[in-house]
Amino acid sequence: DAGVTQSPTHLIKTRGQQVTLRCSPKSGHDTVSWYQQALGQGPQFIFQYYEEEERQRGNFPDRFSGHQFPNYSSELNVNALLLGDSALYLCASSHLVNYGYTFGSGTRLTVV
Amino acid sequence: SQQGEEDPQALSIQEGENATMNCSYKTSINNLQWYRQNSGRGLVHLILIRSNEREKHSGRLRVTLDTSKKSSSLLITASRAADTASYFCATDADDKIIFGKGTRLHILP
């Protein structure tokens, strides 16, 4: 049973560019949450998707947007990249009636 | 924003000793979870304790929850080198899970 799959694993982008990160949730999970983790910090909640709708959102600007597809997979888009967007981006999936998250291995984004 | 605050920020102990990490949080919660992260990779779910529970065990892990003090502790008994990692508490409130800054645990041989 595959866990959460994220792609790509590493990415280097230039300031001002746009990036799309992808996540496939664990089988049986219908909720996807995205987190940004800067070096040495805890994961910061970006947003959560359920039934193709954004259910919750953290304190992130509109440059961060997302999407969930009918098969529950999800994308995170970041526009107009800043150097400060360099971080590990983590996707976590869950089923609403259970509360433990299953995390992917993350996408390491470097903005230069 | 961070909901939970782990204490200490870093901890080094000898292999075989017990490690205790604490977490304090600010608002009412549905449950509290502990996660482990190795070398900046994905987080691994360790244990979940619900707001109406006071103590929970899983293998060498023991978690306590005191909702009156808004605090939790994670005890790892008989530590091993493989326990070297960062440990995060995460609180579930309003159906979103918020993480603390973590405790970096280093097990010395």
Side-chain angles (χ1 to χ4, degrees), chain B residues 6-11 20-22 102-104:
Chain B
E6 290 90 342
D7 171 59
Q9 291 185 348
L11 179 63
T20 299
M21 288 159 270
N22 302 297
T103 291
R104 282 162 290 286

Side-chain angles (χ1 to χ4, degrees), chain B residues 10-29:
Chain B
L11 179 63
S12 292
I13 61 172
Q14 294 294 136
E15 191 169 10
E17 293 182 339
N18 296 340
T20 299
M21 288 159 270
N22 302 297
C23 170
S24 59
Y25 57 93
K26 299 172 185 173
T27 66
S28 297
I29 60 172

